[in-house]
Amino acid sequence: GAVVSQHPSRVICKSGTSVKIECRSLDFQATTMFWYRQFPKQSLMLMATSNEGSKATYEQGVEKDKFLINHASLTLSTLTVTSAHPEDSSFYICSAPQGTGVRQYFGPGTRLTVT
Amino acid sequence: TQLLEQSPQFLSIQEGENLTVYCNSSSVFSSLQWYRQEPGEGPVLLVTVVTGGEVKKLKRLTFQFGDARKDSSLHITAAQPGDTGLYLCAGVTTGGNTPLVFGKGTRLSVIA
């Protein structure tokens, strides 16, 4: 099956710094990718839809200036958490639909800890 | 906004017991997916149900899609410790390239 990778898998950063998370579709092209955030013992919450070649679409309550999304190619979307704070600590997961888009492939997630 | 109500949120049972997880919505979905997620990993797709009334079996797991395509259930027979994990239902809206609508998840713990 298709594979989606994320890098890094874990990152610890200091408060006030920025962190970039990459999401790659390894063997298929994805014009759309989705970014989710998951707090401990909770479900996935959609943050934004990343669109190749155009601006991302953010869900209500998600600050677009804080969570910068760039979908520069058909296989790569990046999420940059700017000026990170401890409350941004979470598990960030991306997914990419393949083909008609009904089947989505999830990345393994990135654990962000802001100290 | 389409919502999926998933229940129960937490379930702790003994090995060998049966259990059912429910996913309900007032909205119709084109299909519904069930995922299982281990700690520190991304969700892994278990099954997709598409047709109203459809029943799919995956070893000891039985998935059912409601006739009206608004609800679904996951039944596990003779649960084992290896079934422990977070189970998520996710609704697929019309067309492709749209985000999934996730339920809140059911955290299952099977005790040996």
Side-chain angles (χ1 to χ4, degrees), chain A residues 34 38 43 97 100 102-104, chain B residues 33 37 45 88 96-99 103:
Chain A
F34 303 106
Q38 185 176 31
S43 186
T100 58
V102 173
R103 175 70 193 264
Q104 293 191 22
Chain B
Q33 300 178 338
Q37 185 182 21
L45 180 66
L88 297 158
N97 287 348
T98 54

Side-chain angles (χ1 to χ4, degrees), chain A residues 83-94:
Chain A
S83 186
H85 287 99
E87 56 265 31
D88 298 324
S89 298
S90 188
F91 194 53
Y92 292 86
I93 305 175
C94 68

